[in-house]
Amino acid sequence: MREKIILCLKILIILSIIALTALVYFQQGDFTSIDLGRHLEYGKLAFSQPEVLSKNVFSFTEPDFPNINHHWLSGVVFWYLYLIGGFKILSLLNILLGAAAMLLAFKLAVKKSNFVLASLLALPVILILSERVDIRPEMYSNLLIVLVFYLLDDFRSTKSAKNLVWLIPIFFLWVNLHIYFFIGLFMVGLAMLEQAILFFAKRSERNEAVGALKKLFYYGLGSATVCLVNPRFIKGFLFPFAVMGMYNKYADNYEIVENKSPFYLQNLMIDYNILIFKFLLLLLAASLIIYSIKKFKNNRGLTFGERLAKLDYFYIFSALFFSFFAVKYIRNLPIFALIALPIMAGNFYYAGGWLKEKTKKYGTLALFAVFFTSAAVFSWLIYDNLSAGKFLNKNLGLGVSENSLASIKFFKDNNLKGPIFNNFDIGSALDFWLYPGERVFVDNRPDTFSRDFFKEIYIPMQSDPAKWQEYREKYKINLIYFTHTDGTPWGRQFLANRLKDEKWPLIYFDDYTVIMVKDDENNKALVEKYKIDNGIFSSRLNNLLASSRDNEKMQLADFAAAYGRADLAENIYLDLLARRPADGRISAALGYLSAGQPDSKNTLKSIEYLEKAVRQGYALPGIYNQLGLDYWNLADYAEAEKMWRQALKIDKNNEHAKYYLKQANALVK
């Protein structure tokens, strides 16, 4: 009877892990800001127009700039699935890939430890998967990285190469699915390095080490060879080793959040996955230390060199590599967590003999506790999505948000014409919607534009009115297609300037995008029919709010503020705050909105809202800088300086806080 209960509990826990992982990926993306559009377009054109794999053909600004497409096969899969079931079937694929990667990592963790320990460690891993939930080719890499890790671990345990043969077809597909195939090759290299260390450290086992090294070498060489089977041959094979250097080279031109360190971003944004990452990183480090100490103690009779040889170098090297990769780029947090799970489980289980005893003694009770903990986490994630949005911060559902698809209908129904000036974020969607009839000014592939394009053209056009005038004439810009969710300072500045520019009347907006046209004779009828004035703006805003979800309402409130209707924005924020009182984003937005009103009453409201946001976890340097300005406007100079110093305590390089303190000190003198 007890065995049946334990089996049922284990099945329930496995199902809860699947359900939790599925819930994390059960979020609708914003089609206007994700990469999916161009992947679909690549898939549609890969065979009929193969030049899309080698040139920047979607753009009219730099159409001949060379491009190496390292994920074309993902696009093909996406495109044909899209033809079958639209965006929803792509979401199901995303959930399937995510759940498969999680289950495989969990299976290996159970193999290295026990069911209870692996289940408990799996919970924070599942949470951190929420960092990257959009439909994208890297989901294949998440699964394939864990699969290759699993196969290599199996070989190290059994010394049987029968499963290594799977590396050849895996890499044959992987090199065309996503750029991270090089990580798989690197893991094979780490396994070879471990055998080389054992060869020198364990004289009695040299023949075994040589045999293992030869097998790994042959299969590694075969894996690397099939990676040459891609549209660009050797260039495609070497591209991953150059692309991150390329992004670093472009860093002073255009910064991409996903390629920044979580330790850098923690001072600029609220991302609770960074906290989970820090926790897992400390847990992983602790497991490695405890494991190493225990290993040395268990082999006291051996020499120091012989004890060193007993360490699990493949796990140690993998832990160091994936930790470095995650510290370097926030986009790698899910991959880090998936690999860290079996390493932590194995290390803690080896070091903690008491775990084995307690699990045997309280096994059923422990399984009940794990199951109810999983159920509680599931319930909390649903509540979190409806309240603070700390982990699940998008609309729940399959596919992409329907409201993010609305603007293209207006564009096509009215036969709008370019040339188009668009922002970075929406470029991928426009690739899919408009090519080849219209081409984009830019899309979200910085590696397919020249180094100076962003620094000399794209960003100055938004931040410098003279550059806007110069380049809009050069490129004969007729229409602006922009996401008002753009968070870059130049994008926000450009949008604010154009909304005040009578030469570029607003003719359309929705929860995500705006469309403006040049006010000339060619667009006269269009402007007369669709120009949005104050009254129309208010009416359309109310219509949109009636069908918008909370995240979209937040975006509309932000846009209303940018449009100059602080009254409408405040009403939306207050309505949201009444339903989501724990959401610090709303409190912060109300604080910034009130700060923009020129009277002491609103300044006090700003302080109240911003301090509430801090209490709700939004303790960012920008919040403290604004609090400092508010207190300064109330002539409370000591409190103002205190706020700016607090901003510097969080981010010692914060230029705004330094500037405010410098100005304050100059005035005091």
Side-chain angles (χ1 to χ4, degrees):
M1 182 66 179
R2 184 173 181 270
E3 287 75 17
K4 289 183 178 180
I5 293 173
I6 289 175
L7 178 62
C8 288
L9 284 171
K10 286 184 176 181
I11 292 172
L12 286 174
I13 290 170
I14 291 172
L15 290 175
S16 71
I17 288 173
I18 295 172
L20 278 168
T21 307
L23 178 62
V24 165
Y25 290 105
F26 188 67
Q27 299 185 73
Q28 293 182 330
D30 162 17
F31 191 69
T32 65
S33 65
I34 61 178
D35 301 341
L36 181 57
R38 63 180 166 86
H39 293 309
L40 288 168
E41 195 66 12
Y42 278 139
K44 181 170 68 173
L45 301 173
F47 300 114
S48 62
Q49 191 180 335
E51 60 265 31
V52 300
L53 305 182
S54 58
K55 290 184 180 180
N56 186 16
V57 297
F58 298 148
S59 165
F60 69 84
T61 49
E62 295 194 320
D64 295 319
F65 194 82
N67 166 42
I68 294 180
N69 188 302
H70 45 75
H71 45 248
W72 69 273
L73 186 56
S74 291
V76 171
V77 175
F78 290 165
W79 172 245
Y80 284 103
L81 285 176
Y82 175 79
L83 292 178
I84 295 170
F87 293 114
K88 290 185 178 180
I89 198 171
L90 294 179
S91 273
L92 290 174
L93 172 66
N94 213 39
I95 291 170
L96 180 64
L97 291 171
M102 184 64 220
L103 284 176
L104 191 57
F106 175 72
K107 180 181 179 181
L108 184 55
V110 172
K111 179 182 175 183
K112 305 301 288 188
S113 60
N114 66 21
F115 199 89
V116 172
L117 179 59
S119 301
L120 286 173
L121 291 173
L123 295 179
V125 171
I126 293 172
L127 287 180
I128 210 171
L129 295 180
S130 66
E131 182 64 29
R132 306 276 288 180
V133 297
D134 291 324
I135 304 163
R136 46 169 49 110
E138 76 179 44
M139 290 301 296
Y140 292 109
S141 281
N142 288 1
L143 174 58
L144 294 176
I145 285 171
V146 179
L147 179 56
V148 169
F149 189 85
Y150 187 94
L151 293 175
L152 291 172
D153 186 77
D154 177 72
F155 170 73
R156 293 168 60 249
S157 301
T158 64
K159 293 299 184 291
S160 171
K162 66 177 182 178
N163 287 328
L164 288 184
V165 71
W166 288 105
L167 293 178
I168 306 302
I170 286 172
F171 281 98
F172 177 75
L173 292 173
W174 197 353
V175 69
N176 295 295
L177 286 169
H178 189 242
I179 193 172
Y180 274 4
F181 70 90
F182 79 92
I183 295 178
L185 294 176
F186 189 80
M187 287 193 292
V188 175
L190 291 181
M192 291 173 62
L193 178 60
E194 179 186 51
Q195 295 304 319
I197 291 173
L198 294 178
F199 173 81
F200 290 105
K202 288 186 174 182
R203 295 183 179 181
S204 60
E205 300 178 17
R206 280 189 173 182
N207 290 336
E208 184 179 335
V210 169
L213 190 57
K214 284 182 179 179
K215 292 174 184 176
L216 287 169
F217 175 77
Y218 292 141
Y219 282 106
L221 182 62
S223 299
T225 301
V226 297
C227 285
L228 295 171
V229 185
N230 69 80
R232 300 301 299 276
F233 191 55
I234 190 67
K235 287 185 177 180
F237 176 75
L238 296 176
F239 184 66
F241 307 100
V243 69
M244 297 318 299
M246 190 182 303
Y247 280 144
N248 290 334
K249 182 178 73 173
Y250 281 41
D252 62 337
N253 297 340
Y254 202 90
E255 296 187 349
I256 302 176
V257 170
E258 66 184 29
N259 292 330
K260 292 294 180 184
S261 168
F263 293 102
Y264 168 79
L265 293 172
Q266 67 182 349
N267 298 323
L268 302 177
M269 58 193 286
I270 297 297
D271 185 342
Y272 290 92
N273 282 315
I274 296 176
L275 292 177
I276 299 292
F277 170 60
K278 289 180 179 178
F279 170 72
L280 287 177
L281 194 61
L282 287 173
L283 210 58
L284 178 61
S287 78
L288 289 170
I289 293 170
I290 294 170
Y291 160 81
S292 299
I293 293 172
K294 183 72 173 180
K295 201 77 171 177
F296 266 65
K297 284 185 176 180
N298 288 347
N299 294 282
R300 284 175 182 160
L302 303 178
T303 65
F304 182 77
E306 289 172 330
R307 282 190 282 177
L308 278 177
K310 293 288 185 180
L311 296 177
D312 192 329
Y313 287 101
F314 179 69
Y315 271 28
I316 293 172
F317 293 152
S318 296
L320 293 174
F321 171 73
F322 285 100
S323 296
F324 168 78
F325 216 41
V327 167
K328 184 73 173 173
Y329 306 115
I330 195 170
R331 66 185 297 168
N332 297 317
L333 296 194
I335 297 172
F336 158 81
L338 289 168
I339 295 300
L341 174 58
I343 297 176
M344 292 187 300
N347 288 345
F348 282 127
Y349 192 71
Y350 175 82
W354 57 274
L355 280 173
K356 304 171 187 176
E357 298 173 7
K358 297 295 182 184
T359 302
K360 287 180 181 178
K361 187 175 182 180
Y362 302 106
T364 307
L365 188 62
L367 288 171
F368 267 113
V370 171
F371 173 68
F372 284 114
T373 301
S374 301
V377 172
F378 188 92
S379 301
W380 179 81
L381 283 175
I382 297 289
Y383 171 77
D384 172 62
N385 179 258
L386 298 173
S387 56
K390 293 179 178 179
F391 291 97
L392 305 189
N393 51 24
K394 300 183 180 184
N395 301 327
L396 294 183
L398 292 175
V400 299
S401 169
E402 288 295 322
N403 291 343
S404 69
L405 305 172
S407 63
I408 192 58
K409 185 178 186 305
F410 177 86
F411 187 100
K412 291 184 175 180
D413 285 351
N414 291 282
N415 197 29
L416 300 184
K417 301 293 182 183
I420 298 170
F421 180 73
N422 63 278
N423 63 324
F424 182 89
D425 292 346
I426 201 173
S428 182
L430 296 184
D431 290 338
F432 179 61
W433 285 336
L434 300 178
Y435 184 83
E438 295 285 351
R439 304 194 185 204
V440 298
F441 190 90
V442 66
D443 61 24
N444 47 10
R445 301 170 299 159
D447 54 302
T448 60
F449 292 85
S450 64
R451 187 182 189 281
D452 292 333
F453 174 78
F454 291 103
K455 188 175 184 180
E456 303 296 333
I457 300 175
Y458 175 68
I459 294 175
M461 283 183 72
Q462 297 172 74
S463 57
D464 184 344
K467 291 293 183 182
W468 163 246
Q469 180 72 18
E470 175 188 347
Y471 285 111
R472 77 168 181 79
E473 291 178 358
K474 174 182 177 180
Y475 292 112
K476 297 180 173 55
I477 302 299
N478 181 60
L479 181 141
I480 298 170
Y481 205 148
F482 221 79
T483 53
H484 58 71
T485 56
D486 191 321
T488 61
W490 49 85
R492 298 176 73 85
Q493 182 181 346
F494 175 78
L495 191 59
N497 290 341
R498 294 292 75 74
L499 288 171
K500 299 171 186 174
D501 190 344
E502 295 181 356
K503 296 178 181 178
W504 291 88
L506 177 69
I507 63 169
Y508 175 89
F509 75 91
D510 60 28
D511 306 64
Y512 297 88
T513 60
V514 298
I515 297 177
M516 306 175 192
V517 293
K518 184 180 180 182
D519 192 0
D520 61 10
E521 195 62 30
N522 293 329
N523 296 319
K524 184 177 180 180
L526 197 64
V527 172
E528 288 177 352
K529 184 176 181 180
Y530 291 114
K531 183 178 179 181
I532 296 174
D533 58 20
N534 238 347
I536 296 174
F537 182 89
S538 179
S539 175
R540 174 155 180 77
L541 184 69
N542 287 329
N543 289 337
L544 290 169
L545 289 169
S547 60
S548 298
R549 299 190 184 183
D550 285 353
N551 280 347
E552 294 162 338
K553 285 181 170 66
M554 188 79 178
Q555 292 164 187
L556 286 170
D558 293 342
F559 180 58
Y563 185 78
R565 293 299 304 269
D567 56 329
L568 298 177
E570 184 176 24
N571 289 338
I572 301 170
Y573 288 139
L574 289 172
D575 177 64
L576 287 169
L577 191 62
R579 289 183 289 108
R580 302 172 69 110
D583 196 332
R585 295 174 300 170
I586 305 170
S587 300
L590 279 163
Y592 284 122
L593 186 69
S594 299
Q597 311 303 312
D599 58 79
S600 59
K601 181 181 177 181
N602 277 297
T603 302
L604 289 170
K605 282 173 61 179
S606 174
I607 291 172
E608 179 185 350
Y609 283 125
L610 292 175
E611 289 183 341
K612 181 179 180 181
V614 169
R615 292 194 298 273
Q616 291 171 325
Y618 270 66
L620 291 171
I623 299 284
Y624 285 109
N625 283 333
Q626 184 58 57
L627 280 168
L629 291 173
D630 288 343
Y631 280 116
W632 189 269
N633 290 334
L634 294 175
D636 191 343
Y637 304 127
E639 193 66 19
E641 291 188 27
K642 179 182 175 182
M643 293 297 105
W644 294 326
R645 289 195 182 94
Q646 182 62 34
L648 285 176
K649 187 179 293 185
I650 299 171
D651 177 14
K652 63 181 180 180
N653 297 316
N654 191 274
E655 294 299 329
H656 289 95
K658 289 180 180 179
Y659 173 79
Y660 296 142
L661 284 170
K662 182 179 179 181
Q663 295 299 312
N665 291 333
L667 288 172
V668 170
K669 291 179 180 178

